[in-house]
Amino acid sequence: AVAMPAIAQSAPEVKWRCASSFPKSLDTIYGASELMAKQVSDITDGKFQIQIFAAGEIVPGLQALDATQNKTVEMSHSASYYYVGKDPTFGFGTAVPFGLNARQINAWFLFGNGLTLMNDFYKKYGVVMFPGGNTGGQMGGWFRKEIKTVADLQGLKMRIAGIGGQVLAKLGVVPQQLAGGDIYPALEKGTIDAAEWVGPYDDERLGLYKVAQYYYFPGWWEGSAALNFFVNQEKLAELPKNYRAALTAAMAQANESMLASYDAKNPIAVQSLVKAGTQLRRYPSDVMDAAYKASHQLYDDIAAKNEDFKKVYEDMKAFRNNAYLWWQIVEFTYDDFMVRARTRG
Amino acid sequence: AVAMPAIAQSAPEVKWRCASSFPKSLDTIYGASELMAKQVSDITDGKFQIQIFAAGEIVPGLQALDATQNKTVEMSHSASYYYVGKDPTFGFGTAVPFGLNARQINAWFLFGNGLTLMNDFYKKYGVVMFPGGNTGGQMGGWFRKEIKTVADLQGLKMRIAGIGGQVLAKLGVVPQQLAGGDIYPALEKGTIDAAEWVGPYDDERLGLYKVAQYYYFPGWWEGSAALNFFVNQEKLAELPKNYRAALTAAMAQANESMLASYDAKNPIAVQSLVKAGTQLRRYPSDVMDAAYKASHQLYDDIAAKNEDFKKVYEDMKAFRNNAYLWWQIVEFTYDDFMVRARTRG
């Protein structure tokens, strides 16, 4: 029953700023933060307004976390692994090579120890993290020549950052750090030999298929990539309880919406890329095996010196072990059948 | 900045009743509806209250949709495919044999035509549907003897409902409809030879492993099973805009939360079942192939007579074709590697 007495309620006007680490051109990622802000506004009758600022508008994209920590902004939409330079433990908030797939990382965050452990860690930076979307499994990058064996990686200059870059360095690659907009000209001029970005939908818009023919999969350094909302701890605590609930629900909606959006867009984009001449290539087994081995050696090395990393890594690894044991039973055999049934027509 | 002027706002007291089709013992499914109600209450400072009623408390579980249509309740938490007896088109709201996996159906709902098409259809029943969780891929049921070929299905009495039951009937199975609580005694006495329920976590609690040894996968009739919130169309329209936004965000949060919860619980439960003596068995190829063929024959037969079904089926099939083309590139090859890496230890 809907009764309509006009009941006076304390609904303060709150204005927040959210620094995104992303340009508006990454419209699937950026769109999720806009959805979050719109929902918070709609829920509160416009009383709680969150304005999103694209990378560079208030602070550079890679300083979104710092801006949240020092209260330049109340919150940010970013990717935890952008901050592995501060501490490699940040990797687990987004993606580490051979980590969890998109459903698994969400399960680890929400119903495993993932979010609790990561938020224990983020306390050092004065922020609270909420899952803020996922790209799904990413592609393994664009190459100007074919990779037939791990030897073909030797001396290759590749645009790839973070822990994935460190692992590829162990395999002979020379990792380069380049902003999204600089990738195309560098590949075109041959300043770099390869580059990774996201997946078909985002990569197509960057035009990389025009300057590199071979498109490798899977992107084993990002079996999925979780984005993150970082909220300043004190600012979150200042919010009335109802606004905090509104924010939480809106962030959860953004979280599920982004993955669904990528899952709808990538199938169309990959076909368009193939029509434009892109050659899809699966990473050779020896590259996958060498990368897997190098990744886990790196993790063991880091864990030996970094208690935070060790704690989260061990928990993630145990969760992954259980998750893939189950995954191989139903999800994998169902997908296996459906993939083959589709190919048969 | 948080300013605290006590601004008067129109926040009516609204009390809704939500009829669940599920017993409280299915705590992952039931818990998602409770999470939704709690979030709506928290967001609105307790002004918008939704009380959840378990199956049978107001109406029997399978009448939740009807109760929503005739305004006995304002909304329900149910599974669209429970109503395939009214019209097989209901199947697409939850699961059809060889349909979309959990991420794909969410993408189809939110960013394909899925939700639009289904809500066009649900208009006939006076309700609006919102995605209300997913179990993920289900198991293919408990059998008292092994199934080595399609011939072993001949004459088998199996507890399975809906379109999956119709397909299995074409393969020689005699489908039986039994409520959850009646499955265990029927299997124990041998009144039935096989039964399907959900997956490891829910099945373990029903104790089915004590009376049937062989546990088959994948549950090809439920490659994923989407649950649904049905809201009475007029009741939804009566809600203030801010309450509608609160409800929408809270339902989205419940939607993502349920799948994550199953993804965290099933890996533990399946190991516990195996320890208790359960034998995991993959469905033989000839059963999968025969079921796939029989399913699509059935769809073509229904589509020839049912315009609503035809429209949704064709859209789902096109989406599935694109979705699995993309799935086989990154997601499948990543999972394939991770499954094998785990097994190697």
Side-chain angles (χ1 to χ4, degrees):
Chain A
V2 180
M4 287 295 249
I7 289 163
Q9 192 203 21
S10 173
E13 303 251 0
V14 176
K15 282 195 198 304
W16 273 19
R17 304 197 301 173
C18 173
S20 174
S21 288
F22 310 99
K24 286 181 185 165
S25 56
L26 281 173
D27 63 346
T28 314
I29 296 180
Y30 197 82
S33 62
E34 290 183 311
L35 171 66
M36 178 278 299
K38 185 188 182 310
Q39 284 295 82
V40 168
S41 173
D42 285 355
I43 289 171
T44 61
D45 261 338
K47 297 282 190 298
F48 183 8
Q49 293 281 353
I50 300 171
Q51 194 179 351
I52 315 291
F53 293 88
E57 286 184 2
I58 298 180
V59 289
L62 300 183
Q63 289 170 29
L65 177 78
D66 305 77
T68 311
Q69 183 178 4
N70 66 29
K71 298 188 195 169
T72 302
V73 293
E74 288 80 7
M75 70 183 289
S76 50
H77 189 223
S78 189
S80 182
Y81 71 176
Y82 287 162
Y83 310 101
V84 291
K86 295 178 192 288
D87 187 320
T89 311
F90 276 102
F92 297 108
T94 296
V96 295
F98 303 101
L100 303 165
N101 72 21
R103 273 173 55 181
Q104 291 165 351
I105 198 170
N106 213 41
W108 181 58
F109 281 152
L110 301 182
F111 292 91
N113 302 318
L115 202 53
T116 304
L117 287 174
M118 288 309 290
N119 273 327
D120 278 349
F121 168 71
Y122 294 130
K123 266 182 201 151
K124 294 187 180 175
Y125 300 87
V127 300
V128 181
M129 188 271 268
F130 297 84
N134 200 305
T135 63
Q138 297 197 3
M139 289 292 289
W142 298 87
F143 290 76
R144 289 163 62 99
K145 60 176 188 112
E146 274 192 271
I147 304 300
K148 295 194 166 157
T149 167
V150 72
D152 293 332
L153 295 172
Q154 199 56 44
L156 226 60
K157 290 193 285 291
M158 179 171 185
R159 185 270 179 194
I160 179 171
I163 297 178
Q166 290 176 50
V167 171
L168 276 168
K170 285 176 179 256
L171 271 51
V173 166
V174 185
Q176 313 277 319
Q177 305 236 16
L178 286 177
D182 299 332
I183 300 176
Y184 185 97
L187 255 186
E188 190 181 28
K189 283 180 212 143
T191 316
I192 57 174
D193 307 296
E196 70 95 36
W197 185 233
V198 184
Y201 179 75
D202 292 321
D203 292 10
E204 186 180 21
R205 308 175 110 209
L206 230 50
L208 303 182
Y209 63 97
K210 294 176 200 155
V211 286
Q213 188 177 4
Y214 301 103
Y215 197 20
Y216 274 82
F217 62 88
W220 44 264
W221 51 87
E222 287 168 282
S224 82
L227 291 302
N228 315 92
F229 290 112
F230 292 112
V231 183
N232 180 280
Q233 223 169 249
E234 291 171 31
K235 290 294 170 185
L236 184 65
E238 281 173 20
L239 279 185
K241 189 176 167 246
N242 55 334
Y243 283 14
R244 204 184 313 177
L247 180 63
T248 304
M251 289 189 292
Q253 185 173 0
N255 187 42
E256 74 144 12
S257 170
M258 189 195 299
L259 181 61
S261 181
Y262 271 114
D263 284 345
K265 288 168 177 168
N266 278 327
I268 311 301
V270 76
Q271 294 176 69
S272 153
L273 287 169
V274 167
K275 271 190 204 117
T278 294
Q279 303 280 317
L280 297 173
R281 289 288 184 275
R282 186 167 179 166
Y283 269 116
S285 289
D286 75 329
V287 172
M288 295 294 290
D289 290 341
Y292 185 83
K293 200 177 154 197
S295 299
H296 289 81
Q297 277 169 351
L298 181 63
Y299 300 150
D300 289 340
D301 290 348
I302 302 171
K305 300 173 293 201
N306 181 325
E307 264 306 310
D308 287 330
F309 186 94
K310 183 166 186 272
K311 200 173 179 185
V312 184
Y313 173 54
E314 284 177 356
D315 191 79
M316 185 282 286
K317 211 165 53 166
F319 192 92
R320 186 183 68 181
N321 197 43
N322 283 324
Y324 267 113
L325 178 150
W326 166 235
W327 199 268
Q328 82 185 95
I329 299 171
V330 173
E331 298 293 340
F332 188 74
T333 59
Y334 186 74
D335 290 336
D336 180 40
F337 182 85
M338 295 304 287
V339 159
R340 285 183 294 114
R342 198 200 68 82
T343 315
R344 288 187 311 225
Chain B
V2 180
M4 286 298 247
I7 287 162
Q9 190 203 23
S10 173
E13 302 251 358
V14 176
K15 281 193 197 304
W16 273 18
R17 303 198 302 172
C18 174
S20 174
S21 287
F22 310 100
K24 287 182 186 164
S25 56
L26 281 172
D27 62 347
T28 315
I29 297 181
Y30 197 83
S33 62
E34 290 183 312
L35 171 66
M36 179 278 301
K38 185 188 182 311
Q39 283 295 80
V40 168
S41 173
D42 285 353
I43 289 171
T44 61
D45 260 338
K47 297 284 191 295
F48 183 8
Q49 291 282 351
I50 300 172
Q51 194 178 351
I52 315 291
F53 293 89
E57 286 184 2
I58 297 180
V59 290
L62 302 182
Q63 290 170 29
L65 176 77
D66 306 76
T68 311
Q69 183 178 6
N70 67 28
K71 299 187 194 168
T72 301
V73 292
E74 288 81 6
M75 69 183 291
S76 49
H77 189 223
S78 189
S80 182
Y81 71 175
Y82 287 162
Y83 311 100
V84 291
K86 296 178 193 288
D87 188 321
T89 311
F90 276 101
F92 297 109
T94 296
V96 295
F98 303 102
L100 304 165
N101 72 22
R103 271 173 55 183
Q104 292 165 350
I105 197 170
N106 213 42
W108 181 58
F109 281 152
L110 301 182
F111 291 90
N113 303 316
L115 203 54
T116 305
L117 287 174
M118 289 309 290
N119 273 326
D120 277 350
F121 168 72
Y122 293 130
K123 268 183 199 150
K124 294 186 180 174
Y125 300 87
V127 300
V128 181
M129 188 272 269
F130 297 83
N134 201 305
T135 63
Q138 298 197 3
M139 288 292 288
W142 298 86
F143 290 76
R144 289 164 62 100
K145 60 177 187 114
E146 273 192 271
I147 305 299
K148 295 197 166 155
T149 167
V150 73
D152 293 334
L153 296 172
Q154 199 59 43
L156 227 60
K157 290 193 286 291
M158 179 171 184
R159 185 271 177 193
I160 179 171
I163 297 178
Q166 290 176 50
V167 171
L168 276 169
K170 286 176 179 255
L171 272 50
V173 166
V174 185
Q176 314 277 319
Q177 305 234 16
L178 286 178
D182 299 332
I183 300 175
Y184 184 96
L187 255 186
E188 189 181 30
K189 283 179 211 142
T191 317
I192 57 175
D193 307 297
E196 70 96 36
W197 185 233
V198 184
Y201 179 75
D202 292 321
D203 292 11
E204 186 180 21
R205 307 175 111 210
L206 231 49
L208 303 182
Y209 63 95
K210 295 176 200 155
V211 286
Q213 188 177 4
Y214 301 103
Y215 198 18
Y216 275 82
F217 63 89
W220 44 263
W221 50 87
E222 287 168 283
S224 82
L227 290 303
N228 316 92
F229 291 112
F230 291 112
V231 184
N232 180 280
Q233 224 169 250
E234 292 171 31
K235 291 292 171 187
L236 183 65
E238 281 173 21
L239 279 185
K241 189 176 166 246
N242 54 335
Y243 283 15
R244 206 183 312 174
L247 181 62
T248 304
M251 289 188 293
Q253 185 173 1
N255 186 43
E256 75 144 12
S257 167
M258 190 195 299
L259 182 61
S261 181
Y262 271 115
D263 284 345
K265 288 169 178 168
N266 277 326
I268 310 301
V270 77
Q271 293 177 69
S272 152
L273 287 168
V274 167
K275 271 191 204 117
T278 294
Q279 302 281 319
L280 297 174
R281 290 287 184 277
R282 187 168 180 167
Y283 270 117
S285 291
D286 75 329
V287 171
M288 294 295 289
D289 290 340
Y292 186 82
K293 202 176 153 197
S295 298
H296 290 81
Q297 278 169 350
L298 180 64
Y299 299 150
D300 289 341
D301 291 348
I302 301 171
K305 301 173 293 201
N306 182 327
E307 265 305 311
D308 287 330
F309 185 94
K310 184 168 185 270
K311 201 173 177 184
V312 184
Y313 174 52
E314 284 176 356
D315 190 81
M316 185 282 285
K317 211 164 53 165
F319 192 92
R320 186 184 67 183
N321 197 44
N322 283 325
Y324 266 113
L325 179 149
W326 166 236
W327 200 268
Q328 82 184 94
I329 299 170
V330 172
E331 297 293 340
F332 188 74
T333 59
Y334 186 74
D335 289 337
D336 181 39
F337 181 84
M338 293 304 287
V339 160
R340 284 183 295 113
R342 197 200 68 81
T343 314
R344 288 187 312 225

